Amino acid sequence: MRLSAALLTATILAVPAHAENKSFKDWLVGCDNVLACTAVGMSGDEAYPPGYVRVMRQAGPDAAAEVRLVVMTEGGEGGAKLSVVLDGKPFGAGTFDAASDGTWARVDLPAADAAKFIAALGNARSLKLKRVDVAEAEIAVSLNGSSAALRYMDAEQKRDGGVTAIVARGDKPKSAVPAAPATPVIKATAMKVLETNPPAPKGLPEGNPEDCNGMDDTRFAIDLGDGHTLWAVCESAGAYNYGYSIYIADKAGKVTPVPPPKENNWGGDALVLVNPYAPEGEKVLSAFNKGRGLGDCGDSQSWAWTGDKLVMVRMSEMDECRGVGEEDWIGVYKAEIR
């Protein structure tokens, strides 16, 4: 099976059923399988550097909305200061302590400030952010679509018409909001990337060095325990994305492809993950499918081994390439790993 560069940069892997994310002008919003909802408001299409606001809220009557404000920065890593101007006036203290990873500077508003910000957002007309501990430009974040996106979040969590709603407020009591659905629980085993591949079992595909930018070894192995090995086989590469087919070899050396989701349109017998990696000390195989080199759009997933099958435990996605960092993408599925 050969994957084109276009597919590698554009395909979103299927996950357990979830509602599609919605777009309201410059805002995207969506909820995962346990109705944790995220809305992201971005800068305009041509804005650079970009900034954004993320509003996230868990399901259930007692959950409060959380607010994160973010700007792209070149000011280096570490502590930062972010000014916040809403409708032409400094919001709250005006300047908040932030943290920079060298690409994005983020501030999570304290609970009291988050509540005030949310209350003002529905009728606000402008939001400007600026990293002020270094000389950087002020960044405008669009509020076009904010009210509709937050109203959608209210409806999905059954808050509309009630006292806990963000926008669609009414008289229904907090007790009318349903509890959050139960989070799926996955009993997973540890994964360990092997520094040196064991002998490849019979029946494992060779991969395509020519299509994978001439890499010396198109395969890598992960020890799953109990004699099982996960093999990732590179099939194709496109710029910053490498597509790997995933196989499991049992203790007898029998190789079985991990079946792809029914909606996977690549064909072939095996699940394909883009840029897979297994973080040391974790029980997951993660994948990061970049929509472009900056890594501000695409999809991100994690998979766990249960002892007899590989299952998805997390997925987030961002359909717009407008400067939103991966950790702030919209979650569409999550499970608890034990």
Side-chain angles (χ1 to χ4, degrees):
M1 175 183 60
R2 298 194 175 191
L3 311 178
S4 72
L7 280 175
L8 284 171
T9 58
T11 300
I12 302 294
L13 289 177
V15 298
H18 68 281
E20 291 185 4
N21 294 337
K22 301 294 184 181
S23 174
F24 298 96
K25 297 181 180 178
D26 293 318
W27 281 63
L28 292 174
V29 61
C31 304
D32 65 17
N33 54 306
V34 295
L35 288 181
C37 298
T38 303
V40 179
M42 301 160 287
S43 296
D45 277 331
E46 304 301 323
Y48 192 88
Y52 58 93
V53 54
R54 186 198 71 171
V55 178
M56 197 268 186
R57 195 176 197 180
Q58 303 292 334
D62 295 317
E66 302 168 18
V67 177
R68 172 175 287 179
L69 304 170
V70 188
V71 296
M72 185 170 285
T73 181
E74 295 181 351
E77 299 180 9
K81 296 283 187 180
L82 209 66
S83 72
V84 182
V85 177
L86 193 63
D87 276 346
K89 299 177 181 179
F91 171 77
T95 302
F96 295 85
D97 291 331
S100 171
D101 61 8
T103 303
W104 287 277
R106 296 177 169 90
V107 58
D108 293 318
L109 293 183
D113 286 310
K116 293 176 183 177
F117 185 90
I118 287 292
L121 197 58
N123 296 316
R125 294 181 178 274
S126 68
L127 172 62
K128 293 183 179 180
L129 308 174
K130 182 179 181 181
R131 182 173 178 182
V132 294
D133 57 303
V134 294
E136 293 192 341
E138 188 173 59
I139 296 171
V141 176
S142 175
L143 299 182
N144 292 330
S146 60
S147 181
L150 297 174
R151 188 179 295 274
Y152 175 86
M153 183 185 293
D154 285 339
E156 289 296 293
Q157 295 183 332
K158 309 301 181 186
R159 302 179 188 280
D160 46 329
V163 296
T164 72
I166 296 175
V167 175
R169 295 181 67 84
D171 296 328
K172 287 193 297 185
K174 181 173 73 172
S175 58
V177 179
T183 302
V185 176
I186 304 297
K187 188 175 181 180
T189 62
M191 292 186 178
K192 182 180 180 181
V193 177
L194 299 172
E195 292 185 11
T196 303
N197 285 343
K202 185 178 179 180
L204 183 70
E206 290 282 350
N208 295 306
E210 205 174 297
D211 289 345
C212 292
N213 291 339
M215 63 171 57
D216 294 332
D217 194 342
T218 59
R219 303 179 289 200
F220 68 87
I222 297 175
D223 182 8
L224 300 175
D226 195 29
H228 288 78
T229 305
L230 181 148
W231 285 90
V233 181
C234 187
E235 300 284 356
S236 189
Y240 31 77
N241 283 330
Y242 289 78
Y244 285 79
S245 295
I246 307 300
Y247 299 84
I248 304 295
D250 64 18
K251 61 183 66 178
K254 180 182 178 182
V255 175
T256 304
V258 175
K262 292 179 181 179
E263 296 86 351
N264 188 311
N265 62 0
W266 283 339
D269 298 324
L271 169 70
V272 174
L273 298 181
V274 180
N275 302 325
Y277 62 100
E280 186 175 353
E282 297 187 20
K283 295 181 177 180
V284 296
L285 174 67
S286 294
F288 183 22
N289 181 11
K290 297 181 180 182
R292 64 176 179 174
L294 180 60
D296 62 339
C297 54
D299 66 86
S300 175
Q301 321 100 36
S302 293
W303 301 72
W305 176 249
T306 65
D308 61 356
K309 60 184 176 181
L310 195 69
V311 298
M312 178 175 281
V313 293
R314 181 195 61 81
M315 182 170 179
S316 60
E317 61 187 27
M318 177 53 57
D319 299 331
E320 295 281 346
C321 299
R322 289 164 69 174
V324 179
E326 180 195 1
E327 69 177 73
D328 297 320
W329 292 358
I330 296 172
V332 296
Y333 184 80
K334 67 181 175 186
E336 180 182 345
I337 301 176
R338 291 181 183 173

